[in-house]
Amino acid sequence: DAMVIQNPRYQVTQFGKPVTLSCSQTLNHNVMYWYQQKSSQAPKLLFHYYDKDFNNEADTPDNFQSRRPNTSFCFLDIRSPGLGDAAMYLCATSPERGAGHEQFFGPGTRLTVL
Amino acid sequence: GEDVEQSLFLSVREGDSSVINCTYTDSSSTYLYWYKQEPGAGLQLLTYIFSNMDMKQDQRLTVLLNKKDKHLSLRIADTQTGDSAIYFCADRSNDYKLSFGAGTTVTVRA
């Protein structure tokens, strides 16, 4: 089945130790998104790729970076995780940007920072 | 950014109807969405409504939109235990960005 896959599902890292989260999709969608969802809060968009074009949200900390080496894969890099970065990280894809295009979400990676 | 607000908790008896309410501030929203999140899972699109509609029905789900009051509701008829989840209201604030509410945790009791 076509889907959005996130690995790992659970990630534990140490304070300040770089960590990379992975997202892959078999949908061949142009757009890939990364959201951060803290406990009992709304998912918050960090950035998105439209094809190879990276679009950062204005309030996304510099500590968060992303790479999209090809259509299928997108990575979220946290350069120096702090305790406040513990959250669920959700990857989503959509065929195109625009209100009529559904975003398909992966199951998320829960990040714990010790 | 655009604000989307919803109540945090709802408890409902199995077989009853659930109504989840949401308010938003962006008058230019074109689509409004309801997503469901089960424990440990990602967000699943349940339904959406275009801003020029007042109501949309899809099996057990009914979405009502009051554009004047910027109020959106989701009614689940004959609520089942499998409906226990967090429900997120979202609006499209520009051509790509979804603005989510904090989610309503629905608990279905026997």
Side-chain angles (χ1 to χ4, degrees), chain A residues 16-45:
Chain A
K17 185 174 181 182
V19 66
T20 295
L21 309 182
S22 170
C23 177
S24 64
Q25 52 128 343
T26 61
L27 300 160
N28 204 34
H29 284 172
N30 277 329
V31 195
M32 295 187 77
Y33 309 81
W34 279 104
Y35 289 84
Q36 179 192 63
Q37 184 184 16
K38 295 188 178 180
S39 182
S40 301
Q41 294 185 23
K44 178 175 174 294
L45 182 65

PDB file of all heavy atoms in Angstrom, chain A residues 16-45:
ATOM      1  N   GLY A  16      21.880  17.745  23.600  1.00  0.00           N
ATOM      2  CA  GLY A  16      22.992  18.229  22.792  1.00  0.00           C
ATOM      3  C   GLY A  16      23.526  17.262  21.758  1.00  0.00           C
ATOM      4  O   GLY A  16      24.368  17.649  20.936  1.00  0.00           O
ATOM      5  N   LYS A  17      23.052  16.036  21.738  1.00  0.00           N
ATOM      6  CA  LYS A  17      23.560  15.051  20.778  1.00  0.00           C
ATOM      7  C   LYS A  17      22.707  15.090  19.513  1.00  0.00           C
ATOM      8  O   LYS A  17      21.494  14.844  19.562  1.00  0.00           O
ATOM      9  CB  LYS A  17      23.538  13.655  21.392  1.00  0.00           C
ATOM     10  CG  LYS A  17      24.155  12.600  20.498  1.00  0.00           C
ATOM     11  CD  LYS A  17      24.233  11.254  21.211  1.00  0.00           C
ATOM     12  CE  LYS A  17      24.868  10.214  20.302  1.00  0.00           C
ATOM     13  NZ  LYS A  17      24.926   8.883  20.927  1.00  0.00           N
ATOM     14  N   PRO A  18      23.328  15.335  18.351  1.00  0.00           N
ATOM     15  CA  PRO A  18      22.547  15.446  17.105  1.00  0.00           C
ATOM     16  C   PRO A  18      21.735  14.188  16.835  1.00  0.00           C
ATOM     17  O   PRO A  18      22.165  13.072  17.120  1.00  0.00           O
ATOM     18  CB  PRO A  18      23.627  15.645  16.030  1.00  0.00           C
ATOM     19  CG  PRO A  18      24.803  16.174  16.758  1.00  0.00           C
ATOM     20  CD  PRO A  18      24.762  15.567  18.135  1.00  0.00           C
ATOM     21  N   VAL A  19      20.569  14.408  16.263  1.00  0.00           N
ATOM     22  CA  VAL A  19      19.682  13.287  15.954  1.00  0.00           C
ATOM     23  C   VAL A  19      19.015  13.549  14.601  1.00  0.00           C
ATOM     24  O   VAL A  19      18.780  14.711  14.228  1.00  0.00           O
ATOM     25  CB  VAL A  19      18.634  13.108  17.081  1.00  0.00           C
ATOM     26  CG1 VAL A  19      17.679  14.282  17.153  1.00  0.00           C
ATOM     27  CG2 VAL A  19      17.885  11.794  16.922  1.00  0.00           C
ATOM     28  N   THR A  20      18.785  12.476  13.865  1.00  0.00           N
ATOM     29  CA  THR A  20      18.116  12.560  12.562  1.00  0.00           C
ATOM     30  C   THR A  20      16.893  11.666  12.551  1.00  0.00           C
ATOM     31  O   THR A  20      16.965  10.491  12.915  1.00  0.00           O
ATOM     32  CB  THR A  20      19.069  12.147  11.428  1.00  0.00           C
ATOM     33  OG1 THR A  20      20.143  13.085  11.344  1.00  0.00           O
ATOM     34  CG2 THR A  20      18.340  12.112  10.091  1.00  0.00           C
ATOM     35  N   LEU A  21      15.788  12.235  12.119  1.00  0.00           N
ATOM     36  CA  LEU A  21      14.552  11.479  11.942  1.00  0.00           C
ATOM     37  C   LEU A  21      14.290  11.331  10.451  1.00  0.00           C
ATOM     38  O   LEU A  21      14.568  12.244   9.665  1.00  0.00           O
ATOM     39  CB  LEU A  21      13.375  12.189  12.620  1.00  0.00           C
ATOM     40  CG  LEU A  21      13.583  12.601  14.086  1.00  0.00           C
ATOM     41  CD1 LEU A  21      12.319  13.245  14.636  1.00  0.00           C
ATOM     42  CD2 LEU A  21      14.026  11.433  14.940  1.00  0.00           C
ATOM     43  N   SER A  22      13.707  10.197  10.091  1.00  0.00           N
ATOM     44  CA  SER A  22      13.548   9.853   8.684  1.00  0.00           C
ATOM     45  C   SER A  22      12.090   9.732   8.287  1.00  0.00           C
ATOM     46  O   SER A  22      11.260   9.252   9.072  1.00  0.00           O
ATOM     47  CB  SER A  22      14.270   8.526   8.417  1.00  0.00           C
ATOM     48  OG  SER A  22      13.969   8.028   7.144  1.00  0.00           O
ATOM     49  N   CYS A  23      11.794  10.152   7.074  1.00  0.00           N
ATOM     50  CA  CYS A  23      10.465   9.994   6.504  1.00  0.00           C
ATOM     51  C   CYS A  23      10.611   9.539   5.059  1.00  0.00           C
ATOM     52  O   CYS A  23      11.440  10.078   4.315  1.00  0.00           O
ATOM     53  CB  CYS A  23       9.700  11.319   6.559  1.00  0.00           C
ATOM     54  SG  CYS A  23       8.060  11.270   5.798  1.00  0.00           S
ATOM     55  N   SER A  24       9.826   8.557   4.675  1.00  0.00           N
ATOM     56  CA  SER A  24       9.815   8.144   3.276  1.00  0.00           C
ATOM     57  C   SER A  24       8.373   7.986   2.817  1.00  0.00           C
ATOM     58  O   SER A  24       7.477   7.745   3.616  1.00  0.00           O
ATOM     59  CB  SER A  24      10.597   6.844   3.071  1.00  0.00           C
ATOM     60  OG  SER A  24       9.981   5.780   3.772  1.00  0.00           O
ATOM     61  N   GLN A  25       8.177   8.124   1.511  1.00  0.00           N
ATOM     62  CA  GLN A  25       6.821   8.025   0.976  1.00  0.00           C
ATOM     63  C   GLN A  25       6.838   7.267  -0.344  1.00  0.00           C
ATOM     64  O   GLN A  25       7.782   7.369  -1.127  1.00  0.00           O
ATOM     65  CB  GLN A  25       6.238   9.437   0.769  1.00  0.00           C
ATOM     66  CG  GLN A  25       7.117  10.375  -0.027  1.00  0.00           C
ATOM     67  CD  GLN A  25       6.413  11.034  -1.204  1.00  0.00           C
ATOM     68  OE1 GLN A  25       5.359  10.606  -1.653  1.00  0.00           O
ATOM     69  NE2 GLN A  25       7.020  12.099  -1.729  1.00  0.00           N
ATOM     70  N   THR A  26       5.782   6.502  -0.536  1.00  0.00           N
ATOM     71  CA  THR A  26       5.627   5.744  -1.781  1.00  0.00           C
ATOM     72  C   THR A  26       4.544   6.352  -2.656  1.00  0.00           C
ATOM     73  O   THR A  26       4.095   5.741  -3.616  1.00  0.00           O
ATOM     74  CB  THR A  26       5.290   4.278  -1.471  1.00  0.00           C
ATOM     75  OG1 THR A  26       4.048   4.229  -0.740  1.00  0.00           O
ATOM     76  CG2 THR A  26       6.384   3.619  -0.645  1.00  0.00           C
ATOM     77  N   LEU A  27       4.109   7.555  -2.291  1.00  0.00           N
ATOM     78  CA  LEU A  27       2.993   8.205  -2.979  1.00  0.00           C
ATOM     79  C   LEU A  27       3.444   9.058  -4.157  1.00  0.00           C
ATOM     80  O   LEU A  27       2.615   9.540  -4.919  1.00  0.00           O
ATOM     81  CB  LEU A  27       2.211   9.082  -1.981  1.00  0.00           C
ATOM     82  CG  LEU A  27       1.605   8.321  -0.792  1.00  0.00           C
ATOM     83  CD1 LEU A  27       1.290   9.273   0.347  1.00  0.00           C
ATOM     84  CD2 LEU A  27       0.353   7.592  -1.228  1.00  0.00           C
ATOM     85  N   ASN A  28       4.763   9.277  -4.255  1.00  0.00           N
ATOM     86  CA  ASN A  28       5.327  10.124  -5.307  1.00  0.00           C
ATOM     87  C   ASN A  28       4.768  11.552  -5.253  1.00  0.00           C
ATOM     88  O   ASN A  28       4.553  12.190  -6.297  1.00  0.00           O
ATOM     89  CB  ASN A  28       5.078   9.506  -6.695  1.00  0.00           C
ATOM     90  CG  ASN A  28       6.105   9.986  -7.704  1.00  0.00           C
ATOM     91  OD1 ASN A  28       7.255  10.224  -7.372  1.00  0.00           O
ATOM     92  ND2 ASN A  28       5.668  10.159  -8.941  1.00  0.00           N
ATOM     93  N   HIS A  29       4.567  12.031  -4.035  1.00  0.00           N
ATOM     94  CA  HIS A  29       4.035  13.373  -3.866  1.00  0.00           C
ATOM     95  C   HIS A  29       5.137  14.415  -3.958  1.00  0.00           C
ATOM     96  O   HIS A  29       6.283  14.179  -3.528  1.00  0.00           O
ATOM     97  CB  HIS A  29       3.333  13.493  -2.511  1.00  0.00           C
ATOM     98  CG  HIS A  29       1.990  12.848  -2.487  1.00  0.00           C
ATOM     99  ND1 HIS A  29       1.263  12.700  -1.318  1.00  0.00           N
ATOM    100  CD2 HIS A  29       1.228  12.314  -3.475  1.00  0.00           C
ATOM    101  CE1 HIS A  29       0.112  12.115  -1.605  1.00  0.00           C
ATOM    102  NE2 HIS A  29       0.072  11.869  -2.904  1.00  0.00           N
ATOM    103  N   ASN A  30       4.764  15.579  -4.469  1.00  0.00           N
ATOM    104  CA  ASN A  30       5.734  16.662  -4.628  1.00  0.00           C
ATOM    105  C   ASN A  30       6.110  17.325  -3.317  1.00  0.00           C
ATOM    106  O   ASN A  30       7.212  17.836  -3.170  1.00  0.00           O
ATOM    107  CB  ASN A  30       5.173  17.746  -5.566  1.00  0.00           C
ATOM    108  CG  ASN A  30       5.387  17.403  -7.024  1.00  0.00           C
ATOM    109  OD1 ASN A  30       6.362  16.749  -7.364  1.00  0.00           O
ATOM    110  ND2 ASN A  30       4.484  17.850  -7.875  1.00  0.00           N
ATOM    111  N   VAL A  31       5.166  17.367  -2.384  1.00  0.00           N
ATOM    112  CA  VAL A  31       5.359  18.173  -1.183  1.00  0.00           C
ATOM    113  C   VAL A  31       5.537  17.264   0.032  1.00  0.00           C
ATOM    114  O   VAL A  31       4.785  16.292   0.201  1.00  0.00           O
ATOM    115  CB  VAL A  31       4.171  19.128  -0.940  1.00  0.00           C
ATOM    116  CG1 VAL A  31       4.553  20.189   0.080  1.00  0.00           C
ATOM    117  CG2 VAL A  31       3.708  19.780  -2.235  1.00  0.00           C
ATOM    118  N   MET A  32       6.540  17.586   0.844  1.00  0.00           N
ATOM    119  CA  MET A  32       6.743  16.872   2.107  1.00  0.00           C
ATOM    120  C   MET A  32       6.879  17.895   3.222  1.00  0.00           C
ATOM    121  O   MET A  32       7.558  18.915   3.068  1.00  0.00           O
ATOM    122  CB  MET A  32       7.981  15.966   2.048  1.00  0.00           C
ATOM    123  CG  MET A  32       7.834  14.838   1.034  1.00  0.00           C
ATOM    124  SD  MET A  32       9.179  13.641   1.064  1.00  0.00           S
ATOM    125  CE  MET A  32       8.764  12.663   2.528  1.00  0.00           C
ATOM    126  N   TYR A  33       6.224  17.600   4.350  1.00  0.00           N
ATOM    127  CA  TYR A  33       6.134  18.526   5.483  1.00  0.00           C
ATOM    128  C   TYR A  33       6.689  17.866   6.738  1.00  0.00           C
ATOM    129  O   TYR A  33       6.547  16.658   6.917  1.00  0.00           O
ATOM    130  CB  TYR A  33       4.681  18.887   5.793  1.00  0.00           C
ATOM    131  CG  TYR A  33       3.832  19.364   4.645  1.00  0.00           C
ATOM    132  CD1 TYR A  33       3.255  18.471   3.753  1.00  0.00           C
ATOM    133  CD2 TYR A  33       3.559  20.720   4.473  1.00  0.00           C
ATOM    134  CE1 TYR A  33       2.454  18.901   2.706  1.00  0.00           C
ATOM    135  CE2 TYR A  33       2.753  21.162   3.428  1.00  0.00           C
ATOM    136  CZ  TYR A  33       2.206  20.243   2.554  1.00  0.00           C
ATOM    137  OH  TYR A  33       1.405  20.678   1.530  1.00  0.00           O
ATOM    138  N   TRP A  34       7.233  18.696   7.631  1.00  0.00           N
ATOM    139  CA  TRP A  34       7.565  18.247   8.978  1.00  0.00           C
ATOM    140  C   TRP A  34       6.813  19.116   9.985  1.00  0.00           C
ATOM    141  O   TRP A  34       6.887  20.347   9.931  1.00  0.00           O
ATOM    142  CB  TRP A  34       9.061  18.352   9.259  1.00  0.00           C
ATOM    143  CG  TRP A  34       9.865  17.220   8.715  1.00  0.00           C
ATOM    144  CD1 TRP A  34      10.667  17.226   7.612  1.00  0.00           C
ATOM    145  CD2 TRP A  34       9.972  15.905   9.270  1.00  0.00           C
ATOM    146  NE1 TRP A  34      11.252  15.999   7.435  1.00  0.00           N
ATOM    147  CE2 TRP A  34      10.843  15.165   8.446  1.00  0.00           C
ATOM    148  CE3 TRP A  34       9.410  15.270  10.380  1.00  0.00           C
ATOM    149  CZ2 TRP A  34      11.176  13.839   8.687  1.00  0.00           C
ATOM    150  CZ3 TRP A  34       9.742  13.951  10.630  1.00  0.00           C
ATOM    151  CH2 TRP A  34      10.615  13.239   9.791  1.00  0.00           C
ATOM    152  N   TYR A  35       6.092  18.436  10.898  1.00  0.00           N
ATOM    153  CA  TYR A  35       5.374  19.090  11.980  1.00  0.00           C
ATOM    154  C   TYR A  35       5.965  18.639  13.311  1.00  0.00           C
ATOM    155  O   TYR A  35       6.379  17.492  13.463  1.00  0.00           O
ATOM    156  CB  TYR A  35       3.893  18.708  11.987  1.00  0.00           C
ATOM    157  CG  TYR A  35       3.055  19.266  10.864  1.00  0.00           C
ATOM    158  CD1 TYR A  35       2.998  18.625   9.627  1.00  0.00           C
ATOM    159  CD2 TYR A  35       2.292  20.410  11.047  1.00  0.00           C
ATOM    160  CE1 TYR A  35       2.208  19.127   8.598  1.00  0.00           C
ATOM    161  CE2 TYR A  35       1.498  20.922  10.026  1.00  0.00           C
ATOM    162  CZ  TYR A  35       1.459  20.264   8.811  1.00  0.00           C
ATOM    163  OH  TYR A  35       0.674  20.759   7.802  1.00  0.00           O
ATOM    164  N   GLN A  36       5.920  19.538  14.286  1.00  0.00           N
ATOM    165  CA  GLN A  36       6.268  19.204  15.664  1.00  0.00           C
ATOM    166  C   GLN A  36       4.984  19.258  16.492  1.00  0.00           C
ATOM    167  O   GLN A  36       4.236  20.246  16.417  1.00  0.00           O
ATOM    168  CB  GLN A  36       7.275  20.214  16.226  1.00  0.00           C
ATOM    169  CG  GLN A  36       7.680  19.962  17.671  1.00  0.00           C
ATOM    170  CD  GLN A  36       8.432  21.166  18.247  1.00  0.00           C
ATOM    171  OE1 GLN A  36       7.893  22.251  18.357  1.00  0.00           O
ATOM    172  NE2 GLN A  36       9.680  20.949  18.613  1.00  0.00           N
ATOM    173  N   GLN A  37       4.740  18.204  17.258  1.00  0.00           N
ATOM    174  CA  GLN A  37       3.552  18.172  18.112  1.00  0.00           C
ATOM    175  C   GLN A  37       3.975  17.878  19.539  1.00  0.00           C
ATOM    176  O   GLN A  37       4.331  16.745  19.872  1.00  0.00           O
ATOM    177  CB  GLN A  37       2.558  17.118  17.618  1.00  0.00           C
ATOM    178  CG  GLN A  37       1.251  17.108  18.403  1.00  0.00           C
ATOM    179  CD  GLN A  37       0.315  16.005  17.986  1.00  0.00           C
ATOM    180  OE1 GLN A  37       0.711  15.042  17.323  1.00  0.00           O
ATOM    181  NE2 GLN A  37      -0.940  16.128  18.362  1.00  0.00           N
ATOM    182  N   LYS A  38       3.919  18.884  20.380  1.00  0.00           N
ATOM    183  CA  LYS A  38       4.212  18.675  21.795  1.00  0.00           C
ATOM    184  C   LYS A  38       2.959  18.177  22.501  1.00  0.00           C
ATOM    185  O   LYS A  38       1.849  18.316  21.998  1.00  0.00           O
ATOM    186  CB  LYS A  38       4.742  19.966  22.418  1.00  0.00           C
ATOM    187  CG  LYS A  38       6.084  20.383  21.835  1.00  0.00           C
ATOM    188  CD  LYS A  38       6.703  21.535  22.581  1.00  0.00           C
ATOM    189  CE  LYS A  38       8.056  21.858  21.981  1.00  0.00           C
ATOM    190  NZ  LYS A  38       8.721  22.993  22.681  1.00  0.00           N
ATOM    191  N   SER A  39       3.172  17.624  23.681  1.00  0.00           N
ATOM    192  CA  SER A  39       2.086  16.964  24.400  1.00  0.00           C
ATOM    193  C   SER A  39       0.913  17.915  24.599  1.00  0.00           C
ATOM    194  O   SER A  39       1.079  19.037  25.062  1.00  0.00           O
ATOM    195  CB  SER A  39       2.619  16.489  25.756  1.00  0.00           C
ATOM    196  OG  SER A  39       1.616  15.816  26.456  1.00  0.00           O
ATOM    197  N   SER A  40      -0.275  17.441  24.218  1.00  0.00           N
ATOM    198  CA  SER A  40      -1.533  18.179  24.378  1.00  0.00           C
ATOM    199  C   SER A  40      -1.556  19.506  23.613  1.00  0.00           C
ATOM    200  O   SER A  40      -2.306  20.414  23.973  1.00  0.00           O
ATOM    201  CB  SER A  40      -1.819  18.455  25.858  1.00  0.00           C
ATOM    202  OG  SER A  40      -1.905  17.245  26.560  1.00  0.00           O
ATOM    203  N   GLN A  41      -0.744  19.604  22.570  1.00  0.00           N
ATOM    204  CA  GLN A  41      -0.737  20.826  21.761  1.00  0.00           C
ATOM    205  C   GLN A  41      -1.038  20.498  20.306  1.00  0.00           C
ATOM    206  O   GLN A  41      -1.001  19.347  19.876  1.00  0.00           O
ATOM    207  CB  GLN A  41       0.619  21.535  21.863  1.00  0.00           C
ATOM    208  CG  GLN A  41       0.925  22.070  23.251  1.00  0.00           C
ATOM    209  CD  GLN A  41       2.224  22.865  23.277  1.00  0.00           C
ATOM    210  OE1 GLN A  41       2.676  23.376  22.260  1.00  0.00           O
ATOM    211  NE2 GLN A  41       2.816  22.962  24.448  1.00  0.00           N
ATOM    212  N   ALA A  42      -1.313  21.535  19.551  1.00  0.00           N
ATOM    213  CA  ALA A  42      -1.571  21.372  18.124  1.00  0.00           C
ATOM    214  C   ALA A  42      -0.276  21.070  17.383  1.00  0.00           C
ATOM    215  O   ALA A  42       0.797  21.570  17.755  1.00  0.00           O
ATOM    216  CB  ALA A  42      -2.195  22.656  17.572  1.00  0.00           C
ATOM    217  N   PRO A  43      -0.331  20.277  16.338  1.00  0.00           N
ATOM    218  CA  PRO A  43       0.840  20.132  15.462  1.00  0.00           C
ATOM    219  C   PRO A  43       1.227  21.489  14.889  1.00  0.00           C
ATOM    220  O   PRO A  43       0.369  22.282  14.488  1.00  0.00           O
ATOM    221  CB  PRO A  43       0.352  19.191  14.354  1.00  0.00           C
ATOM    222  CG  PRO A  43      -0.804  18.462  14.946  1.00  0.00           C
ATOM    223  CD  PRO A  43      -1.451  19.439  15.884  1.00  0.00           C
ATOM    224  N   LYS A  44       2.527  21.725  14.839  1.00  0.00           N
ATOM    225  CA  LYS A  44       3.037  23.017  14.381  1.00  0.00           C
ATOM    226  C   LYS A  44       3.986  22.772  13.218  1.00  0.00           C
ATOM    227  O   LYS A  44       4.930  21.999  13.340  1.00  0.00           O
ATOM    228  CB  LYS A  44       3.754  23.702  15.552  1.00  0.00           C
ATOM    229  CG  LYS A  44       4.403  25.038  15.246  1.00  0.00           C
ATOM    230  CD  LYS A  44       4.948  25.639  16.528  1.00  0.00           C
ATOM    231  CE  LYS A  44       5.743  26.913  16.269  1.00  0.00           C
ATOM    232  NZ  LYS A  44       6.969  26.679  15.500  1.00  0.00           N
ATOM    233  N   LEU A  45       3.735  23.428  12.110  1.00  0.00           N
ATOM    234  CA  LEU A  45       4.562  23.228  10.929  1.00  0.00           C
ATOM    235  C   LEU A  45       5.948  23.824  11.150  1.00  0.00           C
ATOM    236  O   LEU A  45       6.084  24.991  11.537  1.00  0.00           O
ATOM    237  CB  LEU A  45       3.893  23.873   9.713  1.00  0.00           C
ATOM    238  CG  LEU A  45       4.615  23.699   8.383  1.00  0.00           C
ATOM    239  CD1 LEU A  45       4.641  22.226   7.961  1.00  0.00           C
ATOM    240  CD2 LEU A  45       3.951  24.542   7.290  1.00  0.00           C
TER     241      LEU A  45
END
